[in-house]
Amino acid sequence: SIWGEVEGPYPTNSWYLNLVSHRASFQPDDTTRAYTVPYIIDTAPADDMAGIRVHWPVVKASDSNVQMVNDFKNGVSLGTADAHVDAAYRVDEDEDMSHLGVSLKWGGKSKKAMVTHIVRGMPYATMRYYGGALPAFHSYNAPDSVPLIDGKTELDCEGGSEVVEKEIQLHFRNSDFTWSLFFSKPVKVSCKVIGDDINVAQFKLNVSNYDDDGDSEPLTARVALIDQCTTGKSDIHQHCAEKAEWKDPDGYIQLLKERAAIFPTSPKIDFAYPDDSSPASDRNVQITVDWKAKGPASEDDTDDLIMFALPHHQEDVADSMTEHCIPTFHGPSCLVEGKTWSLVEDISTPVSYTAGRPPEADIVPQLAKALQQDIHYRLSDNMMLGAADTYFSGKILARLGRIIAIASELKTLAEGSVNSIRPLYDDDVEDNVLAASIKAAGSVNLPSDADIDKAVRMLAKGVEIWLSTDAEATYVYDRSWGGFVNCGCTYKGKGERGHCKNKFPDCPALSDVNEDFGNGFYNDHHFHYGYNVYSAAIVAKHDPVWAAENFDSVLLYIRDIANPSVDDKYFPQFRQKDWFLGSSWAAGIVSAENSPHGRNQESSSEAIAAYEGIALYGAAMVDVFSKSGHAADLELAKLVRDAGQLLTSTELRAANRYWHVWSSDDHVNTYPPAYTKPVVGMLYQTMASFQTWFAPYAVVSYGIQLIPLTPIGEYRDDITWATELYPLYEESCEAVEDFCIDNGWSILQAGLLATTGKRKEALEQALEIPAKVYATDGGIGNSPSNTIWYIATRKPVTDR
């Protein structure tokens, strides 16, 4: 197994998973790769070597695609040709699991071995050699000048050998790249140019000897690209354009030379959440990144470590940041000094069942009318059997949950006063606005308490069945990876009266990656489970007895997708989250088989909504356990709440960096100007593309970033961005005619229009949507009540 002696649970959605995928375990190739920023690292070195291959990509953009491009022939391989080191690698059992890196090990069954630490933001690739294992270096390009040792000695590749004290500099033709290869001990090297035609010849460098006296200090080799346009003759001209953006190339090279001895290993992230005494408007999480820096015994100051920081890190590490910045796929990345980083994440963004203001008084009558119908929404027979897929069933439950939340809000308004309801809304909402909504709610027929209670009871049963062994499509615990996966349902029958004809252990979702959108393969778990957690939060808010009884069961969803505990033996911590980028990855354990661009996530808005649900559930359970006196459960509920808020806040900001595309006075666009679309439909590790998995139409790429319509949408969708997006959305909807309306995408159009400030026009659109649309794939998680509520609660544009 590629995991060797490392015990699970394993990180099924981590950014580096392609390096430890099924394919990587038996046939690594150029898809078994990861983007560390700025390098792409793969595990397919030259044929006679074991080790890694290091690529320096360049950003290329068109009007609908941005991606990192590299020619594999311009990469360099670092590893060994030593026959005593196994060619197959595994995860190094001597290093801790990390959100920010993975350590791979070759050999070790005998004395000889080598280990690499592949870490986010690394300016060098690193390989450590044990037991006298001999380093090797390879390039598909021949040198364009004589290799230079320690800045003074030329290395003759016609049979000579030399001792390298610290560094050898290599400039290659074709790529025009210059690399520096650093060693922690003196080594004897020789080189060879393979091939008679210098334009297609290859280069090999081998270490034949170094001092290995049996002490605990292995040889460390590090390689870094120091110039991507050495003479201006690069075969990819964008490299020279990117170099022109470097502020001080000579200073950058000098810093790399000075700091090559210190390297990161298995970084550790610690989260310090605010206590409950912090005001709601000023709640921050302190995130400490310990890069676990190491160096030779002679280098006792590991604070000389340098790492690349992305734009959203840079304010927090400004005191340690150098002026050396380079363009990357995720924006300008700058070198930062220090073995630890201290980052601050603001989690004061309100997570609530209500918006920042009550429904507009003039729209309340239409909302009440819709509620009178929607409150009687019935979960279908197959839903109550747990006989459905895990995605749409969750959306159906959340639909009922939102109806209950809206009905409860209007009832509270109708029975309240300005002073009593003020805590529900933003401080800047004027008294006359509150009073008008109170009056409007008190003047209409609303669902009765009995109606709401009946809906809550149905929702409770709907949530429960999926967590029960009585569910026809039952959940199971996967011991191999460590996760909560669904068995799947081979559906028999028509419509809502069918059932699953299979039973565990006959599990189609565990053998077919296309079943349940890949749920059995850890695909889209947060999209699926987030809806269920949101629904559980609604029930918990209304029924504390049910909440306490089902706490451990609902936690299974949360532990699977957003486990805040590093000590959980059954689920990995924060399965979906990429803590370097701040966003999440949806792709599970088969991503390496699907795309060389690695991890991917389609719907940023569904990721946000999943974490919104977790924060709400945690808050609801804090209320429950605060009253019941269960101290241990109370502390766990607080952790769930705070982790949910952290995940929500970071995902919100990431969506506006990587999925929402616009420029304004207070927002800098991440992507090159050539990319003209206002959204990214699919974000991969090395590609942003205006597309989706399931339909070729532009409206789908737009709409998938807007679902579902919940209160967090106010903080998700910047008004300037929404205003730029709306006419394109309208045009794309008209271009596909019936598809847009019949598949529910017109619901999101109305919500988007309201966000731009045009609530009246948006309501007119919403009222024209046929009722049957709310049963389509695009509309199934929504309802007329929720659509009208969303429109009625949007922030007036004049408030900006």
Side-chain angles (χ1 to χ4, degrees):
S1 167
I2 200 165
W3 292 98
E5 297 179 15
V6 177
E7 296 182 354
Y10 301 119
T12 57
N13 297 65
S14 288
W15 63 273
Y16 57 74
L17 194 75
N18 283 29
L19 294 169
V20 291
S21 68
H22 293 298
R23 177 178 292 174
S25 67
F26 67 91
Q27 189 179 359
D29 57 26
D30 61 3
T31 67
T32 55
R33 55 164 52 187
Y35 180 42
T36 63
V37 183
Y39 298 109
I40 291 175
I41 305 293
D42 70 39
T43 50
D47 291 342
D48 61 348
M49 285 178 61
I52 60 174
R53 192 163 53 175
V54 187
H55 308 272
W56 184 274
V58 68
V59 179
K60 281 193 173 183
S62 67
D63 65 340
S64 59
N65 183 278
V66 183
Q67 60 180 291
M68 302 301 286
V69 175
N70 67 279
D71 184 339
F72 82 92
K73 291 184 177 180
N74 293 342
V76 296
S77 298
L78 177 63
T80 186
D82 194 324
H84 293 94
V85 178
D86 294 339
Y89 65 87
R90 64 190 184 279
V91 177
D92 185 5
E93 66 274 6
D94 295 324
E95 296 288 346
D96 293 332
M97 301 282 278
S98 173
H99 292 291
L100 296 176
V102 62
S103 297
L104 306 178
K105 186 175 185 178
W106 290 258
K109 293 180 181 178
S110 61
K111 184 179 179 183
K112 293 185 177 183
M114 64 180 183
V115 173
T116 187
H117 308 290
I118 299 172
V119 180
R120 283 290 211 187
M122 61 186 198
Y124 320 74
T126 304
M127 190 71 76
R128 308 191 80 195
Y129 298 86
Y130 296 82
L134 297 173
F137 179 90
H138 174 273
S139 170
Y140 290 102
N141 292 318
D144 204 39
S145 57
V146 178
L148 187 64
I149 296 174
D150 297 321
K152 56 187 179 183
T153 304
E154 293 184 346
L155 176 62
D156 181 5
C157 289
E158 296 296 327
S161 64
E162 298 285 348
V163 173
V164 179
E165 294 290 336
K166 289 186 177 180
E167 175 203 2
I168 182 167
Q169 187 168 298
L170 303 159
H171 171 224
F172 295 106
R173 64 191 304 116
N174 299 330
S175 69
D176 202 27
F177 288 178
T178 297
W179 302 81
S180 277
L181 181 59
F182 303 94
F183 295 98
S184 62
K185 301 178 181 181
V187 297
K188 180 175 280 189
V189 301
S190 60
C191 61
K192 184 178 182 180
V193 177
I194 305 167
D196 296 330
D197 185 346
I198 196 67
N199 292 307
V200 295
Q202 301 181 30
F203 171 82
K204 287 188 177 181
L205 181 144
N206 289 291
V207 173
S208 59
N209 186 34
Y210 64 91
D211 181 15
D212 179 46
D213 56 9
D215 62 17
S216 59
E217 190 68 34
L219 172 68
T220 301
R222 307 192 79 194
V223 63
L225 183 124
I226 62 173
D227 197 330
Q228 64 178 316
C229 182
T230 307
T231 65
K233 300 177 182 178
S234 172
D235 57 3
I236 302 179
H237 67 86
Q238 283 90 347
H239 284 295
C240 292
E242 284 197 357
K243 180 186 175 181
E245 297 181 34
W246 293 13
K247 184 176 182 179
D248 179 13
D250 292 338
Y252 175 77
I253 294 170
Q254 185 61 34
L255 185 62
L256 287 177
K257 291 176 181 287
E258 291 173 357
R259 303 299 180 88
I262 310 301
F263 55 90
T265 56
S266 298
K268 182 181 180 183
I269 305 180
D270 287 318
F271 304 90
Y273 298 98
D275 58 42
D276 284 356
S277 64
S278 302
S281 60
D282 186 24
R283 289 174 55 79
N284 296 306
V285 176
Q286 303 291 328
I287 300 177
T288 302
V289 178
D290 181 349
W291 293 104
K292 296 295 181 181
K294 290 184 179 180
S298 59
E299 298 282 346
D300 56 1
D301 189 3
T302 54
D303 217 33
D304 282 344
L305 178 75
I306 52 174
M307 300 294 290
F308 278 106
L310 294 177
H312 64 282
H313 304 137
Q314 291 167 15
E315 181 177 350
D316 289 335
V317 296
D319 291 344
S320 304
M321 192 167 74
T322 72
E323 64 179 358
H324 303 300
C325 305
I326 62 172
T328 72
F329 183 66
H330 300 99
S333 299
C334 303
L335 284 174
V336 173
E337 301 172 312
K339 61 186 177 184
T340 61
W341 290 3
S342 294
L343 308 174
V344 179
E345 287 290 352
D346 179 2
I347 63 168
S348 58
T349 299
V351 179
S352 173
Y353 303 98
T354 62
R357 63 214 54 78
E360 183 182 350
D362 290 346
I363 302 179
V364 166
Q366 291 287 356
L367 178 55
K369 182 179 178 182
L371 273 174
Q372 288 287 1
Q373 296 292 322
D374 285 341
I375 198 64
H376 300 292
Y377 180 72
R378 183 182 66 83
L379 297 178
S380 63
D381 292 348
N382 66 302
M383 277 288 296
M384 301 307 285
L385 294 173
D389 71 82
T390 54
Y391 177 60
F392 288 114
S393 63
K395 296 183 78 168
I396 289 169
L397 293 174
R399 168 181 175 157
L400 182 56
R402 285 298 305 149
I403 292 167
I404 293 168
I406 296 165
S408 299
E409 180 184 4
L410 285 191
K411 293 279 284 187
T412 300
L413 284 171
E415 298 165 2
S417 65
V418 169
N419 289 336
S420 68
I421 70 166
R422 177 162 289 288
L424 295 176
Y425 304 109
D426 290 350
D427 293 340
D428 60 358
V429 179
E430 296 179 356
D431 285 354
N432 64 316
V433 173
L434 297 176
S437 294
I438 290 170
K439 181 178 180 181
S443 304
V444 294
N445 291 323
L446 296 172
S448 67
D449 290 341
D451 288 337
I452 294 175
D453 184 65
K454 183 177 180 181
V456 170
R457 299 272 63 78
M458 176 172 285
L459 183 59
K461 291 180 180 179
V463 172
E464 281 181 54
I465 186 61
W466 285 98
L467 295 168
S468 166
T469 55
D470 293 331
E472 292 198 2
T474 186
Y475 280 98
V476 297
Y477 178 76
D478 170 28
R479 289 193 297 265
S480 60
W481 287 89
F484 196 48
V485 295
N486 195 265
C487 179
C489 178
T490 303
Y491 198 73
K492 182 178 181 180
K494 293 184 178 180
E496 63 182 44
R497 298 189 182 278
H499 65 93
C500 303
K501 66 179 184 179
N502 63 295
K503 290 184 179 181
F504 179 83
D506 176 15
C507 293
L510 302 186
S511 59
D512 184 355
V513 71
N514 296 309
E515 188 81 17
D516 278 1
F517 301 92
N519 179 279
F521 295 78
Y522 295 93
N523 204 54
D524 294 355
H525 272 205
H526 54 331
F527 298 163
H528 296 207
Y529 300 170
Y531 288 111
N532 290 272
V533 175
Y534 193 99
S535 304
I538 297 291
V539 180
K541 183 175 175 62
H542 286 266
D543 188 343
V545 174
W546 180 94
E549 291 175 348
N550 289 275
F551 183 52
D552 288 340
S553 295
V554 175
L555 279 181
L556 290 171
Y557 287 130
I558 296 170
R559 290 167 68 191
D560 185 83
I561 63 173
N563 183 14
S565 173
V566 71
D567 298 319
D568 194 323
K569 296 180 180 180
Y570 298 98
F571 297 89
Q573 187 188 37
F574 298 123
R575 184 188 301 279
Q576 316 287 153
K577 198 69 169 181
D578 185 327
W579 286 109
F580 195 68
L581 299 185
S583 52
S584 295
W585 297 117
I589 58 177
V590 294
S591 181
E593 281 70 28
N594 289 338
S595 172
H597 294 289
R599 310 283 90 198
N600 67 74
Q601 178 167 274
E602 191 172 51
S603 178
S604 62
S605 53
E606 285 188 291
I608 293 166
Y611 301 140
E612 174 191 25
I614 291 170
L616 288 171
Y617 181 74
M621 298 312 298
V622 167
D623 290 343
V624 170
F625 294 130
S626 294
K627 296 171 183 176
S628 69
H630 293 116
D633 286 337
L634 175 60
E635 291 307 306
L636 180 53
K638 288 180 178 179
L639 179 59
V640 170
R641 175 199 64 192
D642 293 345
Q645 288 180 321
L646 173 62
L647 291 164
T648 303
S649 297
T650 51
E651 203 76 22
L652 281 168
R653 288 189 275 276
N656 279 306
R657 286 194 297 271
Y658 307 132
W659 278 268
H660 298 184
V661 184
W662 87 101
S663 295
S664 67
D665 293 340
D666 57 357
H667 179 81
V668 178
N669 182 10
T670 298
Y671 302 115
Y675 186 85
T676 59
K677 305 300 183 185
V679 304
V680 167
M682 289 286 293
L683 181 70
Y684 294 79
Q685 276 194 303
T686 58
M687 183 172 72
S689 187
F690 187 67
Q691 66 179 65
T692 67
W693 285 112
F694 57 93
Y697 307 124
V699 68
V700 175
S701 289
Y702 298 143
I704 201 66
Q705 307 307 330
L706 299 171
I707 58 172
L709 300 179
T710 63
I712 203 66
E714 178 169 332
Y715 305 96
R716 180 191 69 205
D717 302 335
D718 180 90
I719 294 176
T720 300
W721 173 75
T723 302
E724 292 182 8
L725 173 59
Y726 181 77
L728 299 174
Y729 196 113
E730 181 180 39
E731 179 183 343
S732 65
C733 191
E734 292 174 351
V736 293
E737 298 177 338
D738 293 344
F739 173 87
C740 182
I741 297 173
D742 292 347
N743 289 276
W745 301 103
S746 58
I747 298 171
L748 303 171
Q749 181 181 345
L752 181 64
L753 182 58
T755 301
T756 72
K758 297 181 178 180
R759 289 187 288 195
K760 180 181 178 181
E761 295 88 340
L763 180 62
E764 291 174 355
Q765 281 188 11
L767 295 177
E768 293 177 357
I769 296 172
K772 65 180 182 180
V773 168
Y774 291 96
T776 63
D777 286 356
I780 200 169
N782 220 310
S783 66
S785 296
N786 192 58
T787 306
I788 295 170
W789 172 89
Y790 195 82
I791 291 166
T793 56
R794 293 310 85 197
K795 188 174 185 179
V797 173
T798 53
D799 286 0
R800 289 172 61 191

